[in-house]
Amino acid sequence: MSGNLTDNESENFSWSSDDDVGKEKEVFDTGSSLTTLSAFNGTAEGSSSSGPSSTLFRHFVGAGFSESLVAKAIEENGEGNMDSILNALLTYSALESSPSDVLDIEKSSATEQNGDLSERIDDVLGQTNNGHSDQKTDADSDFWSSDYDENIPDDLSDSDSCLGMEETSGSLSEKDQKLLFLADMGYPVEEVKIAIERCGPESSLEELADFLCAAQMARASDASYVDPPAKPKLYSDYAKHKKRKLLEYEMRKKKQKGLFEDDEPIRLPKPMIGFGVPTEPCLPFHRTLPEAAIAPPYFYYENVALAPKGVWDTISRFLYDVQPEFVDSKYFCAAARKRGYIHNLPVENRFPLLPLPPRTINEALPLTRKWWPHWDPRTKLNCLQTAIGSAKLTERIRKALEDYEGDPPDHVKKYVLDECRKWNLVWVGRNKVAPLEPDEVEMLLGFPRNHTRGGGISRTDRFKSLGNSFQVDTVAYHLSVLKDLFPGGIKVLSLFSGIGGAEVALHRLGIPLKFVVSVELAEVNRNIQRSWWEQTNQKGILIDIVDVQQLTSDRLEQLINKFGGFDLVIGGSPCNNLAGSNRVSRDGLEGKESSLFFEYIRILDSVKCIMGKKR
């Protein structure tokens, strides 16, 4: 239902990054730029399966990169980290020319500017190589090199390009700051002044840079125009360097405006077991529901736990001030999945699905036990994502280990463990790691084998659909109280249904599905759920609706009159603008995708109102 991002937590390792990525890193072994380009034309409304932003695509194409390289970089890095995308593009572009040619072009142009930019260019080239020059030797370079940058920090406030701006921001006007920054990027001061005059003082740095670049390109295309000898070819030689600094500036400004707030500072409990889990002792507690939350139907809402500051307060306020229940699915299975749940279900007499699922990696994937090295302390997988590690990555890891008969050196161990944790790689042979297969992810998330297989569904779509789903065992534990309440069957309104995690949970609990209205935008997900419905010989009625915005009050009233109302309204709106690793559009509940939470509220209020009139 909600999108995933990296949970980045294991039993023996401390992770500082956040839970799922709303804009997840899409690094698959297969796929093409054409697939990625087509995704830019889709809409994200009404579903958790939203594609990358066409604005982001145009943003980098406008910087002078080819469409194919931009598509490849976004596909491999996801649109959640613009800095990593840019570094990947720099790497691709460098590979198209010989390394000596690149250095000659950059450094000769820097010399024309009295050497002022020489150190910056060297720094940029160093960052393109992942910034590990102080940690590796020439002999190690093969396995540390990458076709994309995986190690650029999200917090750009520490970068050199932002420090100068921070130091001067207190004494200069915003106009002067822009002039200084663009001049520092290499644009002539007079041209910058003209750009500010033409575009207006309120224009963003991006608009000003585009204006300047367009002017330079126009001059370059005019055969009658000859640049003064003292001026460098700024656009052709420095476009990528400037675009990087421009993006860093924009990220810095967002941080200064408070758009990237810290995650919830006090609300998340440790351990994250909510109102109790079957495998951990829990202290007695008492929950009192607000009166507005008690009236039918039951409701159940889910989203990522590590949302921006204040988001869960807002969600709780709109959902009748019900206290959230934060649970990490590592207490139910072998993979972590930190989620928040708000519901008005009873919390006494819950029971888990049987048999209990395996709770360690070796129990869940016993064939890995033979090859698991003693220096890999993982017993749990991190949050299962919509993406997997690439074949190139697993080959680099193999090469990094094959030269050592015994334990590898500490720096090699650290490299391997970091990548294994990041991409949930498991050991399948001597010095050999591999990403999880779709059927293994299905098992870890509690879905039946081959739930997402067949019917024309690609391997890429399987990972994407699974990464955006419920963890069935966790949700089933919460929904188990409904079995005694609805012995004859239940009527469900399932919003943002995904691949039917709620329906699978209810079915596995032995609760008949009398009537289900499933609302899901992605056709792939609707096909998966429809196939499961048929394969499990459900006797009830399944109605598919494509978009939550199609579910008007009139339509709801028709459905309630025909079927007698709903017993449960369940769903998890898209987390794209909430997830921690989305540093581009982490706009909270005001974001384009995550604002669909308010559709959940609208529909739930309408159902409660219509059913209340009929009581």
Side-chain angles (χ1 to χ4, degrees):
M1 296 215 177
S2 300
N4 271 315
L5 279 241
T6 307
D7 208 344
N8 288 345
E9 177 181 66
S10 73
E11 294 290 346
N12 301 285
F13 192 84
S14 175
W15 287 86
S16 59
S17 59
D18 301 330
D19 198 14
D20 309 358
V21 347
K23 310 285 185 183
E24 294 88 351
K25 298 179 181 67
E26 306 255 352
V27 185
F28 296 96
D29 291 340
T30 58
S32 68
S33 58
L34 292 176
T35 303
T36 304
L37 286 169
S38 65
F40 293 142
N41 298 322
T43 176
E45 295 182 0
S47 173
S48 58
S49 305
S50 59
S53 166
S54 59
T55 303
L56 184 66
F57 178 76
R58 292 195 300 270
H59 187 71
F60 285 107
V61 172
F65 298 108
S66 69
E67 293 184 357
S68 61
L69 290 185
V70 173
K72 180 181 178 183
I74 294 177
E75 180 180 4
E76 291 192 344
N77 293 276
E79 63 177 345
N81 192 330
M82 296 176 71
D83 198 56
S84 293
I85 296 172
L86 185 63
N87 275 278
L89 290 169
L90 291 172
T91 303
Y92 301 152
S93 299
L95 291 175
E96 290 179 352
S97 304
S98 67
S100 59
D101 290 342
V102 174
L103 283 171
D104 289 343
I105 292 173
E106 298 285 3
K107 291 194 173 181
S108 63
S109 299
T111 303
E112 293 177 10
Q113 287 191 305
N114 300 320
D116 289 342
L117 294 178
S118 179
E119 292 184 2
R120 296 192 187 97
I121 293 172
D122 288 338
D123 180 58
V124 171
L125 292 176
Q127 292 182 32
T128 304
N129 292 322
N130 289 339
H132 287 298
S133 59
D134 59 336
Q135 300 178 12
K136 62 177 180 176
T137 64
D138 293 338
D140 297 327
S141 61
D142 286 343
F143 69 84
W144 254 293
S145 63
S146 174
D147 53 344
Y148 61 95
D149 191 341
E150 300 168 342
N151 298 295
I152 296 297
D154 286 333
D155 188 357
L156 294 174
S157 63
D158 295 331
S159 62
D160 293 339
S161 61
C162 296
L163 292 176
M165 181 61 65
E166 185 176 24
E167 293 168 357
T168 59
S169 61
S171 58
L172 297 176
S173 66
E174 184 173 356
K175 177 181 176 181
D176 289 339
Q177 289 182 42
K178 293 176 182 177
L179 191 151
L180 178 63
F181 188 80
L182 291 168
D184 182 59
M185 290 171 65
Y187 292 107
V189 173
E190 292 303 320
E191 292 187 15
V192 175
K193 290 181 178 178
I194 294 173
I196 294 176
E197 180 181 352
R198 297 283 181 86
C199 298
E202 302 301 322
S203 301
S204 67
L205 269 176
E206 183 177 357
E207 293 170 333
L208 293 172
D210 287 343
F211 179 90
L212 290 163
C213 290
Q216 291 167 5
M217 293 178 69
R219 290 200 303 270
S221 64
D222 188 351
S224 64
Y225 182 86
V226 179
D227 275 322
K231 294 183 179 180
K233 299 176 182 179
L234 294 173
Y235 188 82
S236 59
D237 292 343
Y238 289 103
K240 299 176 181 63
H241 171 60
K242 291 173 184 173
K243 206 65 177 179
R244 176 188 176 88
K245 293 179 72 70
L246 183 63
L247 293 175
E248 289 176 346
Y249 173 82
E250 295 294 342
M251 298 291 283
R252 178 64 175 170
K253 295 298 286 184
K254 282 189 175 184
K255 278 185 171 289
Q256 290 175 346
K257 293 177 181 178
L259 294 181
F260 294 152
E261 295 277 8
D262 292 334
D263 293 321
E264 292 280 358
I266 57 175
R267 304 273 318 236
L268 301 183
K270 292 183 179 181
M272 197 177 290
I273 59 175
F275 303 138
V277 296
T279 56
E280 299 290 329
C282 183
L283 295 175
F285 67 94
H286 178 71
R287 182 177 80 146
T288 302
L289 288 174
E291 185 176 352
I294 297 175
Y298 287 111
F299 64 86
Y300 186 89
Y301 175 82
E302 177 260 15
N303 217 312
V304 292
L306 292 171
K309 183 178 179 181
V311 164
W312 277 104
D313 287 330
T314 301
I315 293 174
S316 176
R317 186 169 67 252
F318 276 94
L319 285 172
Y320 319 109
D321 292 314
V322 175
Q323 176 186 356
E325 178 175 12
F326 294 107
V327 182
D328 190 336
S329 292
K330 71 179 183 180
Y331 297 106
F332 289 85
C333 67
R337 204 176 193 80
K338 295 178 180 177
R339 294 292 185 269
Y341 305 90
I342 293 184
H343 58 84
N344 62 349
L345 296 166
V347 294
E348 297 82 13
N349 302 319
R350 292 169 163 178
F351 60 88
L353 289 173
L354 296 176
L356 293 176
R359 293 187 56 219
T360 68
I361 299 173
N362 288 156
E363 290 173 356
L365 306 169
L367 296 180
T368 65
R369 191 191 309 269
K370 175 181 178 181
W371 304 108
W372 208 272
H374 69 89
W375 47 265
D376 184 345
R378 291 178 297 155
T379 60
K380 298 279 188 180
L381 294 166
N382 295 321
C383 188
L384 301 174
Q385 307 175 60
T386 60
I388 62 169
S390 66
K392 291 181 180 179
L393 172 62
T394 58
E395 177 64 8
R396 286 198 299 272
I397 291 174
R398 185 187 66 79
K399 289 182 178 179
L401 296 171
E402 65 182 1
D403 293 334
Y404 306 100
E405 287 296 330
D407 291 353
D410 288 344
H411 69 282
V412 176
K413 289 181 185 176
K414 183 181 185 305
Y415 164 74
V416 173
L417 287 175
D418 285 351
E419 297 301 329
C420 287
R421 287 178 172 123
K422 182 176 182 179
W423 295 106
N424 280 324
L425 304 177
V426 295
W427 297 91
V428 296
R430 185 176 181 276
N431 299 331
K432 186 178 179 183
V433 295
L436 297 169
E437 290 298 321
D439 60 325
E440 293 171 333
V441 179
E442 288 172 344
M443 177 268 296
L444 290 164
L445 292 175
F447 288 94
R449 187 178 180 86
N450 295 326
H451 182 73
T452 59
R453 187 179 184 184
I457 300 166
S458 70
R459 189 168 184 264
T460 297
D461 284 336
R462 293 182 71 187
F463 282 114
K464 186 179 295 185
S465 297
L466 287 163
N468 288 325
S469 70
F470 279 154
Q471 203 289 321
V472 172
D473 298 275
T474 308
V475 173
Y477 183 67
H478 297 161
L479 300 182
S480 62
V481 296
L482 297 173
K483 185 167 185 177
D484 290 338
L485 296 173
F486 300 100
I490 193 169
K491 293 174 287 187
V492 180
L493 174 55
S494 179
L495 305 176
F496 314 102
S497 293
I499 57 175
E503 291 83 340
V504 171
L506 292 167
H507 174 69
R508 290 190 60 194
L509 286 166
I511 304 174
L513 298 172
K514 294 172 61 177
F515 169 55
V516 174
V517 174
S518 173
V519 187
E520 169 59 36
L521 182 63
E523 183 179 5
V524 166
N525 293 343
R526 295 199 305 273
N527 291 341
I528 290 172
Q529 184 172 13
R530 174 64 68 176
S531 174
W532 171 83
W533 189 272
E534 295 169 353
Q535 295 296 323
T536 52
N537 297 315
Q538 298 294 324
K539 305 302 180 184
I541 299 171
L542 174 64
I543 296 178
D544 290 322
I545 295 178
V546 174
D547 196 330
V548 288
Q549 296 175 352
Q550 297 175 0
L551 202 54
T552 62
S553 295
D554 289 342
R555 183 78 183 275
L556 284 168
E557 189 161 11
Q558 292 172 2
L559 292 168
I560 290 171
N561 288 337
K562 183 174 182 180
F563 297 101
F566 296 101
D567 304 313
L568 174 67
V569 178
I570 190 169
S573 55
C575 70
N576 304 58
N577 309 115
L578 305 182
S581 47
N582 176 12
R583 298 297 180 181
V584 178
S585 59
R586 197 181 185 210
D587 302 324
L589 294 175
E590 291 74 35
K592 179 181 178 182
E593 288 83 14
S594 294
S595 63
L596 290 170
F597 160 74
F598 297 104
E599 290 294 319
Y600 180 94
I601 298 300
R602 174 187 67 81
I603 293 169
L604 176 60
D605 283 344
S606 294
V607 171
K608 290 174 72 71
C609 181
I610 296 169
M611 291 179 60
K613 292 177 182 178
K614 297 183 178 300
R615 288 201 303 271

